[in-house]
Amino acid sequence: MTLRFLFVGLLALLLAGPAAAQGTCSDCIGGGSDIAGALFQGSANAWATPEARTQLNERAAALNTLSTDAAVSSSMAPAITDAFAAAPTARALLTQTKALPELKADLHSEWTTRGLPAAETEALIDALAGLTAQNRVEPEALQASLDAYNAAVAAAAPTFVTDPAPSFLALRHALAALTQAAP
């Protein structure tokens, strides 16, 4: 299974282009990161097995406690830890079942100012709100979030794709971590 994830990761790097392959931890804070390309092309069925759902929920719990638990932080990829530290609004969006209007407004402003269309911004915020709440992720909700994320990236201005907001990048890392739970 590890080799499969390694292959998928390498394939994603190749598809994302040379800019993504050159990324450093500047990816973690939105400095010069290229987010082009879809995160996951599949369906919610990928997480339908009991084993996959357990892994998905374990990753959700790890993401939810990332900034408060040093042991969990060390078990997650450094890019995810750094991204969440740079953008606490990302964690708040994932863990709140009903995102506060102020949080939604802040993310909306941050993303649209950088070049993400308003409609895609709203759809993505709505899809991500509460995704990992109570340390559980429903496969259908994850797929809806991935679809909204991919649509947002496809519609984003080139300036947003090459230099996304830190909170957007943190959420990309979170979605990528969750999709690694696929069997």
Side-chain angles (χ1 to χ4, degrees):
M1 186 181 321
T2 304
L3 288 175
R4 182 177 182 192
F5 293 132
L6 180 60
F7 175 75
V8 170
L10 290 173
L11 181 61
L13 279 175
L14 288 172
L15 293 175
Q22 295 171 2
T24 64
C25 202
S26 64
D27 292 352
C28 305
I29 56 172
S33 175
D34 187 339
I35 58 168
L39 267 181
F40 180 81
Q41 296 294 327
S43 73
N45 293 336
W47 300 285
T49 67
E51 177 185 295
R53 288 183 76 117
T54 298
Q55 290 177 355
L56 191 58
N57 292 334
E58 287 171 357
R59 289 184 175 277
L63 286 169
N64 289 349
T65 58
L66 193 58
S67 64
T68 58
D69 187 337
V72 171
S73 293
S74 66
S75 71
M76 298 295 283
I80 298 171
T81 303
D82 292 347
F84 269 60
T89 54
R91 182 174 172 271
L93 181 65
L94 291 173
T95 60
Q96 295 180 6
T97 53
K98 293 188 182 205
L100 301 171
E102 303 85 26
L103 174 61
K104 285 185 171 186
D106 289 347
L107 290 171
H108 190 278
S109 175
E110 181 182 15
W111 296 352
T112 56
T113 299
R114 287 182 178 240
L116 197 62
E120 284 77 4
T121 296
E122 292 163 15
L124 182 56
I125 289 171
D126 288 344
L128 291 170
L131 181 64
T132 63
Q134 301 171 340
N135 299 332
R136 299 189 55 80
V137 176
E138 292 301 321
E140 297 80 14
L142 177 57
Q143 188 61 51
S145 296
L146 290 166
D147 292 345
Y149 171 87
N150 290 336
V153 171
T159 55
F160 188 89
V161 172
T162 57
D163 190 23
S167 57
F168 191 89
L169 197 54
L171 291 164
R172 175 186 171 82
H173 284 300
L175 287 172
L178 289 170
T179 60
Q180 290 176 1

